[in-house]
Amino acid sequence: AINNSKKKKKKLTAECCGYPISIFFIVVNEFCERFSYYGMRAVLVLYFRYFLLWDDDLATSIYHAFVALCYLTPILGAIIADSWLGKFKTIIYLSIVYAIGQVTMAVSTIHDITDANRDGTPDNFTFHMNTPKFKSVSLTLDLKSGVFLLSLIYFCSFCKYFEFDFIFIFSVFILILFAIKNRFRHRGSRYPKREHWMDWADEKYDKLLIAQIKMVLKVLFLYIPLPMFWMLFDQKGSRWTLQATTMSGDFGAFILQPDQVQTVNPILILTLVPIMDRLIFPLIQKCGLNFSPLKRMTVGMLFAAMAFVAAALVQIEIDKTLPNFPSSSESQLKVVNIYNKTLNVTISPNKYLLIYSFESSADYMTLDHQDITVSLNTNPVITKAFSLIKGGRQTLIIPSNPTLMYLVSVHQSKMFVNGWTADLNITNLDSIEPSATSNYTLVSHGKRDFVLRHGEQWCEFSRKFGFGASYTFLIPSTCESKTEVEDMKPNSVHMALQIPQYFLITTGEVMFSVTGLQFSYSQAPKKQAGWLCTNAVGNIIVLIVAELGKLPKQWAEYVLFASLLVAVSIIFSIMAYFYTYIDPAEIEAQIRKEQGLEPEEKEKETLEMEEKDEGQKNDQEVKKKQDIRFVKIRLCWNMLIYTL
């Protein structure tokens, strides 16, 4: 029986290259999970914005709510794993939930691609994906779902190599509550004071556990200002991505999509981590400057603030080129005349337009009332009432039969208006009835060719499309004389202008995040849940600001975030000045030495400690370096996956 037990234990702890075999399965599973997560997160705000048709603020709020939950739920997962299911079952069961969510998102994009007019019914099931932006969203969601499902099957195949242990972390919270309760019961001058309020728990709990909780609480107190950094940092996946949708990604040799510009961050991480580690920090040290971890974190926060100032400057340039969109209480209207005569158009109460045949009004007119009456100087006069959409743009189409005039909502795409007396077929579009319009169709950036056909009659034309532009093509009875109406000008501010803000935020991340993890490991080893919470709280703050702030200009919001982070970094620097660094290993060793040892054993322990003191110090230094190296390698590993 003993031999069988030993064999079983040996089997469970099988190693390869000096590491347990389970490590390799975990690495593969994490690669697939990170690929899935980063791939989905990169396009998530675009999925909200363009597939679910949410506005920028709602898309930003839900995005940051999702990210916040991503950093909070691991704590729940740890509780489930340690006190109920165990690590392996927890990973398997929650991964199944994860995979279901990924597949659901991927499938939902297919329906929206086939539903061009957004009426809830697919237009056809043989579809063409004309926009790279939507293609990248859909393909990324499909690919990440497949990769994650494969990783789940792979992980399940090697369950025999995993060992489980159960830790009841609720005892920590019970201990803290007991210390508070005991301190409250013994308030008053007749009771002797304790060095720390947690010492009121030593009547019931182990001193080593109390000392460890003291370390954690000390670091958690220092964590209080840290969510403000994440409040800014995680907006590169929301506000900055939405900012990129209003910019041009034409780099000549290649076209960069709004979600792809985020890859600048992981590429810079992979570049800056070794530069900082091997060059910048050693040079600062050689100059005799004490650039402690907490000072590095403060500087990192200031870099993040500068990144948002840079983003604000870019936004100001973008705002100069954007159309003057209506506010939530206004409407905008343009009139297109495909009637065979010039028309005088009167829009109540006091708008008068002269529009030639197969022409449009010069620009969108802004109206502060929703209900309008349109009159045409035909014989007899035609009058018709319309109700406009608040906060949106619409085009009034006057067809060959003016009594049938109608409204069309404007999108960032192209639309054809058929002026022929028969059905018109256009490349990649359904047939258009006489005097009717096609749905707004999304096309990719660059030159596109179109063939217009009716029976034996046909013609073709080409047009180069820019990012963010919207066009209406008026097709008369002979398409050679078509009229083009530019509803929205193409984006003219280049995405390259975002590179400085990405460089600044990434520099801040290297100084703040990498150093912060190193500091956490050195001051409260194995107690890292608090670090995840700072990220979650930061995203919750963004959610609140996005929903309640409602600043009229986006650049003003960027400046607000930058100002808040500067103020918080000053507070953090003051807290860091009064912080005293500790050596957790030394404190724990001292407590173990004082606990449960007989006098003779104490003397023996003292002699052994004196003999091995130098060796232990070296071992501790090696372990610290290994922990720091592990943090950097894991970050670079994640960034490599993010880039992919």
Side-chain angles (χ1 to χ4, degrees), residues 12 22 35 89 127 247 320 348 443 460 484 566 602:
L12 287 172
S22 59
F35 178 88
K89 288 184 179 179
F127 60 89
M247 306 175 77
K320 293 177 182 178
S348 63
V443 297
E460 60 183 354
E484 176 186 305
V566 169
K602 286 185 179 180

Side-chain angles (χ1 to χ4, degrees), residues 313-332:
L313 295 175
V314 171
Q315 189 63 47
I316 290 172
E317 291 302 310
I318 292 173
D319 289 348
K320 293 177 182 178
T321 65
L322 291 179
N324 183 25
F325 290 109
S327 66
S328 58
S329 61
E330 296 175 330
S331 302
Q332 287 187 341

Side-chain angles (χ1 to χ4, degrees), residues 333-381:
L333 183 69
K334 177 181 282 190
V335 181
V336 171
N337 177 17
I338 60 171
Y339 186 51
N340 57 11
K341 294 181 180 179
T342 301
L343 292 174
N344 286 307
V345 182
T346 303
I347 301 175
S348 63
N350 53 5
K351 298 287 184 181
Y352 304 97
L353 302 171
L354 176 65
I355 307 177
Y356 294 100
S357 178
F358 279 88
E359 295 288 346
S360 72
S361 55
D363 203 352
Y364 283 90
M365 63 189 81
T366 302
L367 305 171
D368 56 6
H369 48 281
Q370 188 176 6
D371 297 320
I372 62 170
T373 300
V374 178
S375 298
L376 308 179
N377 68 328
T378 54
N379 188 14
V381 173

Side-chain angles (χ1 to χ4, degrees), residues 410-553:
V410 177
H411 302 282
Q412 287 180 301
S413 49
K414 62 173 173 47
M415 178 181 72
F416 291 91
V417 181
N418 182 10
W420 289 14
T421 57
D423 289 357
L424 177 65
N425 293 302
I426 302 176
T427 309
N428 292 335
L429 293 177
D430 292 332
S431 177
I432 307 174
E433 295 178 357
S435 300
T437 64
S438 68
N439 294 317
Y440 272 96
T441 305
L442 293 159
V443 297
S444 57
H445 173 274
K447 186 179 179 181
R448 294 292 173 267
D449 298 322
F450 298 95
V451 177
L452 286 67
R453 185 183 302 276
H454 171 65
E456 297 297 325
Q457 186 180 2
W458 66 278
C459 62
E460 60 183 354
F461 72 95
S462 299
R463 180 66 166 85
K464 183 177 181 180
F465 295 95
F467 284 96
S470 178
Y471 304 92
T472 298
F473 296 101
L474 309 180
I475 311 298
S477 56
T478 56
C479 61
E480 288 80 1
S481 59
K482 65 175 177 60
T483 302
E484 176 186 305
V485 178
E486 188 176 61
D487 299 319
M488 296 184 192
K489 294 183 180 296
N491 303 338
S492 58
V493 179
H494 204 276
M495 283 185 195
L497 290 181
Q498 281 194 320
I499 293 177
Q501 66 200 56
Y502 272 97
F503 175 80
L504 290 169
I505 200 75
T506 305
T507 303
E509 181 187 9
V510 172
M511 289 192 169
F512 179 88
S513 181
V514 178
T515 306
L517 281 170
Q518 294 174 12
F519 171 80
S520 300
Y521 273 108
S522 68
Q523 298 299 290
K526 301 179 183 179
K527 309 293 189 297
Q528 300 306 311
W531 184 260
L532 296 178
C533 287
T534 64
N535 201 316
V537 173
N539 280 276
I540 291 171
I541 295 172
V542 179
L543 189 158
I544 294 171
V545 173
E547 285 300 305
L548 301 181
K550 303 295 184 184
L551 294 175
K553 296 291 184 180

Side-chain angles (χ1 to χ4, degrees), residues 64 231 346 514 640:
H64 287 284
M231 177 183 72
T346 303
V514 178
L640 179 61

